[in-house]
Amino acid sequence: MEKIKIILKDGSEKEVFKGITILEIAEMISKRLAKETVAGEVNGEVVGLDYKINEDSEVNILRFEDEKGKDVFRHTSSHILAQAVKRLYPDTKLAIGPSIDNGYYYDFDSEYKFTPEDLEKIEKEMEKIIKEDLKIERFELSREEALKLMEEKGEIYKVELIKDLPEGETISFYKQGEFVDLCRGPHLPSTKYVKAFKLLSIAGAYWRGDEKNKMLQRIYGTSFPKKKLLEEYLYKVEEAKKRDHRKLGKELKLFAILEEGPGFPFFLPNGMELKNTLLEYWREVHKKSGYVEVETPIILNRKLWETSGHWYHYKENMYTLLIDDEDYAIKPMNCPGGMLIYKTEMRSYRDFPMRVAEVGRVHRHELSGVLHGLMRVRAFTQDDAHIFMLPEQIKDEIKGVAKLIDEVYSKFGFKYHVELSTRPEDSMGTDEEWEMAESALKEALEELELPYKLNEGDGAFYGPKIDFHLEDCLGRTWQCGTIQLDFQLPQRFDLTYVGKDGEKHRPIVIHRVAFGSIERFIGILIEHFAGRFPTWLAPIQVKILPITDRHVEYAKKVADIMKENDIKVEIDSRSEKIGYKIREAQLQKIPYMIIIGDKEEETNTISVRSRDKGELGSQNLQDFINQIVEEIKNRVLTNI
């Protein structure tokens, strides 16, 4: 029997018989691996366990722990969900059911309105399907046969999808028992592989995300190969609900989203204290790192946006208006204004690197269905910076930005990982420019000893980029910081500088953010700390609680001394019992409470209670002030 060579992920080569399957390769390596394998990857293409390899190939065995393995596992789970719904509600029409981060969903068109109570009924039917151990089989049809099959089943959405496929496209289906679905695949070999699952919620979703189309019903779920993993995930989901920044934002009086401005956050006094504290820190870090700060207008004319390309490629996300019969737009990003600031005077190579930062207000039109608290808004503040430099300065500037972002994230206790995205197919610029840029980014990361994931072909069309994905205390990741090299805007805006040779040259530009959207970063912080901000970030750092009305005067004296030391302090002077005041302060997550009674007034002391450590007892006022001032100055993190 003919033999072929396969190269595994670890670089090892094996000689195997032609026609060997992914599952057989896993069994050849170890029984445990075979048990955990959910799919394979052959020459970069994800395939099912029964896929036969007939030529020399690079092979990667995928387990659930691999992202691509999770996709296969959860996409199969979405088919089990759809099969269960069709069994219970036969007149339901199927739309789409992809895997997503942490789970999957399926969109249905049904006259029956699903309720949360129905999810348990659907789950029981899914359990039956899993126990039936239905073999999942792939088959292909011609366009005509595929259309006929779906038309006979009355699956109008599948018919539309088939009609939109390019001519010559392979049209594949997957069958499990009586259930058939249009799908590219791959899938697990059988329904029995899905050992643990849970349906989570119901939502509305427009067909193809277009609000002009019919509103469908979307059922979300998640699944795992082990019940323990599901339990751990559900615990995190419940914990995330408690930490929901929308809920805490309201309770802590940080911000409001009002019907008069959906997607346009209103920051309340406590929220502005928090935001301004973040910006004070941001300015301190950037000043220390040699940045200058600028401000560009919120509204600029059409000519600018045509030059930048936004008028043609981003207009549907921009708010436009007429001023003096001329088209203007509210800026969706700060970059074009930054280019104009560069052009306000002639530049020399001696001016470089120029590190120009802006805390800029931007507006982008988002569909109402995707708006989400502070995480997805229509108006936000972006901590942009543009670094103008010479080619030989790229590596050092990248290293400088990476160190700055590391300093910022470490200050909040975030771990993070880095991804490097390289040249896409629709790129602009020469091969030499891209090679130089990508090499500089790689070398910078390697010299900093920053491990990174390589995303081949995923860079911006104007240059490669580095993305920073921070991890919060629940293990969720958020893409915030980014460093992008740009070849396009310097050309579009005809940016030049006078070089050593006296000739005009074009600078290279880095776009970078640390927080990203400051509003979104605040949302992440609220959930990361569960509203229990470290003292330096807290909008109210100390709450003074007089036991009775006669203790209010002494409380005011204590508060005045604290304010002189720049401590954010409030007095709860209500005629309420002290136990009630303490509980209220705890609910407001105030770092420190000071209880004032007869004893404290007589001895000129204070009684201190910590949010995180409980009763700290009687203290000298100045000693406490010294301690909290030091805590704020050093931006000490409290336990999360």
Side-chain angles (χ1 to χ4, degrees):
M1 195 172 179
E2 188 180 344
K3 289 194 173 185
I4 56 172
K5 283 185 181 179
I6 59 170
I7 301 173
L8 297 174
K9 189 178 180 181
D10 63 2
S12 62
E13 286 189 21
K14 292 189 182 296
E15 198 173 66
V16 296
F17 287 112
K18 183 179 179 180
I20 192 170
T21 66
I22 295 295
L23 183 57
E24 288 169 341
I25 293 173
E27 287 170 341
M28 182 178 70
I29 296 170
S30 80
K31 288 183 179 179
R32 181 177 175 181
L33 179 61
K35 193 176 178 182
E36 295 177 351
T37 299
V38 296
E41 194 174 11
V42 178
N43 299 324
E45 181 186 354
V46 180
V47 296
L49 293 184
D50 59 353
Y51 182 86
K52 294 180 179 180
I53 304 171
N54 293 312
E55 59 186 12
D56 293 352
S57 302
E58 292 183 4
V59 178
N60 184 18
I61 303 298
L62 298 174
R63 300 182 301 168
F64 180 80
E65 288 75 11
D66 301 301
E67 283 305 313
K68 291 176 182 176
K70 280 188 177 73
D71 285 344
V72 172
F73 191 93
R74 287 174 170 158
H75 192 43
T76 300
S77 306
S78 80
H79 276 219
I80 296 171
L81 163 60
Q83 184 176 12
V85 169
K86 287 289 281 186
R87 282 185 178 183
L88 295 169
Y89 312 96
D91 293 334
T92 299
K93 307 297 182 193
L94 302 174
I96 57 169
S99 66
I100 55 174
D101 285 346
N102 298 316
Y104 55 90
Y105 68 77
Y106 212 109
D107 288 345
F108 302 101
D109 183 357
S110 177
E111 293 299 318
Y112 181 82
K113 183 152 181 70
F114 299 121
T115 65
E117 290 71 30
D118 293 319
L119 296 185
E120 188 176 340
K121 183 180 176 183
I122 297 169
E123 282 179 344
K124 285 181 180 175
E125 193 62 39
M126 290 174 70
E127 285 171 4
K128 286 182 188 176
I129 292 166
I130 291 166
K131 285 177 182 175
E132 287 171 19
D133 186 13
L134 300 175
K135 187 178 180 183
I136 301 174
E137 301 171 287
R138 174 189 169 98
F139 64 93
E140 296 176 4
L141 295 176
S142 67
R143 178 180 293 268
E144 292 73 20
E145 291 170 328
L147 285 170
K148 183 182 177 185
L149 176 64
M150 290 295 102
E151 284 167 354
E152 286 174 353
K153 289 180 174 290
E155 297 293 357
I156 56 174
Y157 298 100
K158 303 296 181 181
V159 169
E160 184 179 327
L161 290 172
I162 293 168
K163 287 180 176 178
D164 286 349
L165 290 173
E167 286 293 335
E169 180 89 357
T170 299
I171 302 176
S172 58
F173 293 83
Y174 280 81
K175 180 179 185 296
Q176 53 198 54
E178 82 290 353
F179 179 77
V180 175
D181 201 358
L182 172 73
C183 187
R184 182 180 287 112
H187 284 275
L188 298 170
S190 162
T191 57
K192 74 173 182 180
Y193 278 68
V194 181
K195 303 293 186 186
F197 69 92
K198 181 72 178 171
L199 297 184
L200 301 172
S201 61
I202 303 166
Y206 292 109
W207 169 236
R208 292 191 151 180
D210 188 340
E211 48 195 355
K212 294 175 185 174
N213 290 334
K214 186 170 183 179
M215 174 72 79
L216 306 177
Q217 298 183 74
R218 176 173 292 178
I219 297 178
Y220 285 96
T222 191
S223 58
F224 295 86
K226 295 178 183 176
K227 283 188 177 179
K228 183 184 176 185
L229 294 174
L230 174 62
E231 288 166 1
E232 289 172 356
Y233 174 76
L234 292 177
Y235 167 78
K236 286 184 178 181
V237 167
E238 287 306 308
E239 189 64 25
K241 286 179 184 175
K242 294 176 194 173
R243 294 167 178 262
D244 190 321
H245 75 284
R246 295 167 298 178
K247 173 177 171 285
L248 289 172
K250 186 176 181 180
E251 291 172 0
L252 302 180
K253 300 177 182 178
L254 298 172
F255 68 92
I257 307 288
L258 305 177
E259 62 181 22
E260 291 84 356
F264 299 94
F266 286 71
F267 272 84
L268 307 177
N270 286 349
M272 279 309 298
E273 281 290 346
L274 173 58
K275 189 174 182 180
N276 285 334
T277 301
L278 278 175
L279 291 177
E280 285 166 13
Y281 170 63
W282 182 92
R283 288 190 166 99
E284 178 187 309
V285 168
H286 283 74
K287 195 169 185 179
K288 185 177 72 176
S289 297
Y291 287 78
V292 294
E293 187 176 352
V294 299
E295 182 178 283
T296 61
I298 288 180
I299 300 174
L300 292 162
N301 69 14
R302 175 174 175 167
K303 183 182 176 184
L304 171 82
W305 303 111
E306 285 179 338
T307 302
S308 68
H310 290 91
W311 195 264
Y312 304 109
H313 301 293
Y314 202 72
K315 191 166 180 268
E316 69 276 8
N317 294 103
M318 295 166 67
Y319 296 110
T320 59
L321 66 162
L322 273 175
I323 301 176
D324 297 334
D325 296 323
E326 186 179 353
D327 287 325
Y328 279 75
I330 301 172
K331 66 177 178 179
M333 49 194 68
N334 300 307
C335 317
M339 301 304 110
L340 293 185
I341 280 186
Y342 178 91
K343 292 189 74 171
T344 55
E345 59 182 276
M346 178 60 72
R347 309 292 179 177
S348 160
Y349 71 94
R350 293 188 180 89
D351 298 324
F352 296 147
M354 280 177 58
R355 304 184 189 111
V356 184
E358 178 177 14
V359 180
R361 191 82 171 145
V362 298
H363 294 72
R364 299 177 186 175
H365 178 63
E366 300 280 4
L367 295 175
S368 58
V370 302
L371 298 175
H372 180 74
L374 296 179
M375 302 301 195
R376 193 75 175 263
V377 292
R378 289 169 169 163
F380 57 96
T381 312
Q382 201 161 36
D383 68 319
D384 265 319
H386 300 98
I387 302 174
F388 303 90
M389 60 194 170
L390 305 171
E392 59 267 28
Q393 294 172 329
I394 292 176
K395 187 167 69 173
D396 284 343
E397 289 307 303
I398 294 292
K399 287 166 69 176
V401 174
K403 286 176 182 176
L404 184 148
I405 292 175
D406 175 75
E407 179 182 345
V408 170
Y409 289 175
S410 300
K411 187 58 67 180
F412 300 97
F414 287 124
K415 294 185 288 184
Y416 63 88
H417 74 268
V418 175
E419 297 186 3
L420 171 61
S421 299
T422 57
R423 186 178 191 176
E425 288 183 12
D426 62 343
S427 63
M428 292 188 67
T430 65
D431 292 344
E432 291 76 18
E433 287 172 328
W434 276 90
E435 189 176 335
M436 172 193 67
E438 289 177 3
S439 296
L441 267 58
K442 287 176 184 175
E443 288 172 16
L445 291 173
E446 286 162 6
E447 287 181 21
L448 288 168
E449 297 183 352
L450 264 179
Y452 62 90
K453 175 186 172 185
L454 186 63
N455 293 328
E456 292 280 2
D458 204 35
F461 67 91
Y462 49 78
K465 62 175 182 169
I466 296 171
D467 290 324
F468 293 77
H469 298 257
L470 59 83
E471 182 181 320
D472 69 12
C473 64
L474 292 181
R476 299 172 299 182
T477 56
W478 309 86
Q479 197 271 302
C480 290
T482 189
I483 307 172
Q484 299 183 344
L485 275 177
D486 185 2
F487 305 129
Q488 186 186 20
L489 283 189
Q491 292 177 35
R492 281 183 172 270
F493 283 88
D494 192 27
L495 304 189
T496 60
Y497 67 89
V498 177
K500 290 181 182 178
D501 57 3
E503 299 294 324
K504 284 187 177 181
H505 302 272
R506 205 171 299 289
I508 290 174
V509 174
I510 287 177
H511 302 256
R512 47 110 294 190
V513 294
F515 292 149
S517 157
I518 292 171
E519 284 72 12
R520 182 169 174 265
F521 196 77
I522 288 172
I524 294 167
L525 288 177
I526 293 170
E527 298 196 0
H528 180 60
F529 291 113
R532 298 163 69 93
F533 299 112
T535 306
W536 73 274
L537 263 183
I540 305 166
Q541 294 161 333
V542 176
K543 194 92 162 188
I544 301 177
L545 313 175
I547 293 174
T548 68
D549 290 348
R550 69 175 182 272
H551 303 119
V552 171
E553 280 306 310
Y554 180 55
K556 287 179 178 176
K557 290 179 183 176
V558 171
D560 288 341
I561 296 171
M562 288 191 168
K563 287 174 183 175
E564 289 170 7
N565 286 272
D566 293 325
I567 296 170
K568 298 168 187 174
V569 60
E570 282 189 0
I571 301 172
D572 186 345
S573 57
R574 295 174 298 169
S575 299
E576 299 283 358
K577 290 183 178 179
I578 192 64
Y580 177 82
K581 290 183 179 182
I582 291 171
R583 282 193 300 276
E584 284 279 290
Q586 283 287 155
L587 288 172
Q588 292 169 6
K589 307 184 190 298
I590 312 293
Y592 291 100
M593 289 146 271
I594 291 176
I595 294 94
I596 301 288
D598 290 338
K599 180 184 173 185
E600 286 74 28
E601 192 165 358
E602 288 166 9
T603 58
N604 204 32
T605 59
I606 56 173
S607 180
V608 181
R609 181 182 179 87
S610 163
R611 175 193 65 197
D612 303 313
K613 299 175 183 176
E615 295 288 348
L616 299 179
S618 180
Q619 292 191 22
N620 174 277
L621 175 58
Q622 193 56 52
D623 289 344
F624 174 73
I625 287 173
N626 292 342
Q627 171 211 319
I628 194 171
V629 166
E630 194 67 17
E631 192 175 331
I632 294 166
K633 179 185 173 185
N634 293 324
R635 298 190 174 95
V636 175
L637 279 177
T638 50
N639 292 329
I640 297 169

